[in-house]
Amino acid sequence: RARLGSSAVRATRGTLAYAAWRRAGEPRGYPASRFDDIPAWLRPAIAWLDHEGLATASGRDRYRPGAPAPQAWSIDLLWRVAGAPRPEDRQPWVDAPGDLRPALRWLVSTGLRSVFPGTEIVPTRALTRAQLAQLLAPSSVSPPGLTSPPDLDPAPTEVIVLDEADGSGRSP
């Protein structure tokens, strides 16, 4: 078990989906997703992502919520959740794939460039939970589409503990 902000622990596809859904205000009322491997606690988040066309399969009818969330996939998902804005900012990463560049320009425009220091980003490297926490933390420049809903504390103190063994999430 590890806490969301742990710097050594990888973020999973399920963790990222759940965090993005929470950040979006926990939208509910969507039909069940097409995936057959979603634990009960994650179903509302994946149903929302799937309905919005933001959930990508990892194999036939599988979302693989316990699989590591690659950096490129994570940035792309958060960019699409934010509405896929197209800022003009330059992105500094020399190894960025062409299809990821709009999402990276968005990342720079939000002031979140420091989450990935240096001039290289490793698209296949797993996002850490610490990076995820930084990407979703309230800041002076909140990413469009990922702002805190008015009924949520702008500096949440809740910590979600994710048990990767059984895929359950709970507050300690």
Side-chain angles (χ1 to χ4, degrees):
R1 294 178 195 245
R3 296 202 179 273
L4 180 64
S6 173
S7 63
V9 178
R10 295 180 195 159
T12 64
R13 290 169 52 94
T15 305
L16 181 64
Y18 185 76
W21 173 74
R22 291 281 311 263
R23 191 76 166 146
E26 299 182 24
R28 295 186 183 270
Y30 293 95
S33 77
R34 60 196 155 111
F35 305 111
D36 61 11
D37 63 341
I38 308 302
W41 68 270
L42 189 55
R43 286 183 189 140
I46 300 300
W48 167 69
L49 284 174
D50 197 27
H51 179 77
E52 296 296 325
L54 302 172
T56 55
S58 182
R60 189 176 162 197
D61 297 324
R62 310 293 271 170
Y63 182 78
R64 295 185 53 217
Q71 290 180 356
W73 179 84
S74 302
I75 294 166
D76 183 65
L77 174 63
L78 293 174
W79 170 66
R80 290 183 297 130
V81 166
R86 301 258 180 193
E88 296 299 320
D89 297 53
R90 297 193 60 188
Q91 61 85 17
W93 295 282
V94 297
D95 62 338
D99 59 344
L100 186 60
R101 289 184 180 150
L104 290 172
R105 283 194 293 276
W106 165 79
L107 185 75
V108 170
S109 76
T110 64
L112 295 170
R113 194 250 178 269
S114 63
V115 174
F116 303 97
T119 58
E120 292 187 11
I121 190 167
V122 183
T124 57
R125 180 180 293 155
L127 187 73
T128 67
R129 289 185 181 191
Q131 288 171 320
L132 176 58
Q134 286 178 294
L135 288 171
L136 295 175
S139 65
S140 58
V141 182
S142 292
L146 292 178
T147 56
S148 296
D151 62 332
L152 293 180
D153 180 354
T157 56
E158 180 181 23
V159 173
I160 301 298
V161 176
L162 182 66
D163 186 337
E164 297 296 341
D166 68 4
S168 64
R170 63 175 177 78
S171 295

